[in-house]
Amino acid sequence: MSSAPAVRTVLGDIGPEELRVCDAHDHLFLRSRRLPGQELVDAGAARAELEAFRAAGGAGVAQWTPYGMGRRAADLPELSRATGVHVVCATGLHQAAHYDPELLDGLRGRLAEMFISELTEGIGTSGVRAGFVKVAGGFHALDAHARWTMTAAAEAHHATGAPIAVHLELGTGALDVLDLLCGESAVPPDRVILGHLNRFPDPVIHRQAAESGCWLAFDGPSRAHHPTDWQMPDAVRELAESGFGHRLLLGGDTVVAGARSVDGGPGMPYLLRRVRPRLAAELGPEPVERILTDNPGRAFAAVWR
């Protein structure tokens, strides 16, 4: 076990400061039975997207695509080498609706073991080790599947030190997630990343979550069915002014092919091309650069066991 925190990328462990400007939540590859015909499966498009992100000033990206959703882990090292962008890959499990029931049945009794193996030994035969665990809550609640996956994620954290990143359904359920992970399962709050808080801009919930010591990710832009983009800068500013700027993360969350910049959507560069200057107008450029540069390195770094 090393005593120095490190970010586990697809090319190996690096110091937190090496991650630099980072998209803290995005996807290069993704496939789901809920999104037929919209899959992210084109390696050439993934490379072009990373190149566009790098040209905009990006240096790192955390891919939140978990087990069974087309991560293409074996393709990630070459993409990282070719573009010069650090890539952090997830293990974990999304909501049950994204999977065939037979796949989930095959993981009963060994989910934590699988997470630990992918974090420490590698994903399949790819040689790529995951750098964090991604799990998901439900809409304003945690169903049995969410409790199962989060309990396994907590076990994997305790065995390895890995961070846990959580998809909050439409931004809801943050406090329930913290009760389970940090309360019942004793995961340190600074090892938990809550995603999609921009989709449910409740300042009271945001403040309570921030006070726990966890990481708060604002990762969009929002889809048409939760158009809260205009409220995101205010939410980030309020948290920063309340002393929680050191706990904020920003990401793009590109989940369908049409959303990539190379296919005409906002894509990964949008984070730096539009979101960064918009937030700089609220906070000033220096706090925004710290959110993009310092915070991801600390959020995804672990003292690996």
Side-chain angles (χ1 to χ4, degrees), residues 21-29 40 45-63 79 83 85-88 220-221 250-276 292:
V21 175
C22 181
D23 178 342
H25 180 174
D26 226 309
H27 303 272
L28 296 168
F29 298 108
L40 296 174
R47 175 170 175 167
E49 194 72 1
L50 280 177
E51 289 173 341
F53 179 63
R54 181 60 185 258
V61 58
Q63 169 165 272
L79 286 173
T83 61
V85 177
H86 295 297
V87 178
V88 186
L250 299 171
D253 192 30
T254 307
V255 297
V256 295
R260 286 184 300 223
S261 67
V262 295
D263 291 318
M268 292 175 59
Y270 185 88
L271 178 66
L272 304 179
R273 187 173 62 87
R274 294 299 184 197
V275 175
R276 177 165 58 182
L292 286 168

Side-chain angles (χ1 to χ4, degrees), residues 4-27:
V7 177
R8 183 150 289 173
T9 80
V10 299
L11 295 179
D13 292 356
I14 63 173
E17 72 285 352
E18 296 179 67
L19 197 58
R20 304 192 306 280
V21 175
C22 181
D23 178 342
H25 180 174
D26 226 309
H27 303 272

Side-chain angles (χ1 to χ4, degrees), residues 109-136:
R110 64 181 190 93
L111 190 60
E113 177 185 344
M114 186 268 285
F115 293 167
I116 294 166
S117 176
E118 293 199 335
L119 290 160
T120 60
E121 299 174 19
I123 297 170
T125 60
S126 69
V128 170
R129 292 187 295 179
F132 63 104
V133 186
K134 183 260 184 72
V135 288

Side-chain angles (χ1 to χ4, degrees), residues 27-32 35 38-41 65 69-70 255:
H27 303 272
L28 296 168
F29 298 108
L30 186 143
R31 184 181 64 249
S32 169
L35 300 167
Q38 303 180 73
E39 298 85 354
L40 296 174
V41 295
T65 308
M69 293 187 67
V255 297

Side-chain angles (χ1 to χ4, degrees), residues 209-250:
E211 288 172 346
S212 78
C214 72
W215 296 92
L216 287 75
F218 292 79
D219 35 36
S222 297
R223 316 295 195 275
H225 60 286
H226 41 79
T228 60
D229 283 359
W230 63 276
Q231 294 169 295
M232 185 271 287
D234 288 340
V236 171
R237 176 178 48 76
E238 288 177 14
L239 286 166
E241 290 178 349
S242 297
F244 300 111
H246 65 299
R247 288 289 169 200
L248 303 178
L249 298 169
L250 299 171

Side-chain angles (χ1 to χ4, degrees), residues 162-182:
I164 301 172
V166 184
H167 164 100
L168 298 178
E169 184 66 15
L170 295 181
T172 68
L175 302 183
D176 291 315
V177 168
L178 294 174
D179 285 346
L180 175 55
L181 288 178
C182 304

